Amino acid sequence: MKNQQTTQGVISIIALICLAAGWFNLFSPEINNLLSRKVFYILIGISFFLQAPMLSNKNFMYAMYGAAALCIIGALFPPEWKISGIKTLGVLGGIILSFSNRPSYRQ
């Protein structure tokens, strides 16, 4: 479990580096687009897939698998296809699920 969390965290950080590289145009336009419009979403999808079994609520777990699938499948579609926008829905859904599953520390 701990190793899976570490792997998930490392993949998330690599995904953010890919996104930043694309935003700041660190490479050629083709590489920047590949990193920020494909690799980022695929890595985030993998990260959500690894996080899903760690969610306490089974409904959240299945929804996280769905968010992961949307990220990965959407990234594989050509960017000019409107359906490729499902990758953004996957990211938003995964983020919301991640935050809604956090334990509250109210006293």
Side-chain angles (χ1 to χ4, degrees):
M1 180 80 117
K2 187 72 168 162
N3 193 23
Q4 190 172 3
Q5 286 177 319
T6 302
T7 303
Q8 189 249 337
V10 168
I11 289 172
S12 297
I13 291 169
I14 294 170
L16 291 174
I17 291 169
C18 288
L19 185 63
W23 278 353
F24 294 114
N25 298 315
L26 298 179
F27 304 104
S28 69
E30 296 82 15
I31 299 296
N32 290 329
N33 282 335
L34 180 68
L35 289 174
S36 64
R37 294 187 179 168
K38 299 262 186 210
V39 176
F40 166 75
Y41 288 100
I42 291 170
L43 290 173
I44 288 296
I46 292 168
S47 173
F48 289 164
F49 183 78
L50 292 173
Q51 184 181 2
M54 293 183 266
L55 299 177
S56 56
N57 183 323
K58 289 283 186 210
N59 292 329
F60 285 178
M61 181 182 75
Y62 296 128
M64 185 64 87
Y65 282 130
L70 288 176
C71 291
I72 294 169
I73 293 167
L76 298 177
F77 287 129
E80 57 273 3
W81 290 12
K82 290 189 183 215
I83 194 148
S84 72
I86 63 172
K87 62 188 180 207
T88 304
L89 290 176
V91 169
L92 292 174
I95 290 171
I96 290 168
L97 289 166
S98 292
F99 283 118
S100 63
N101 193 59
R102 301 271 186 230
S104 66
Y105 295 104
R106 295 182 193 162
Q107 293 185 0

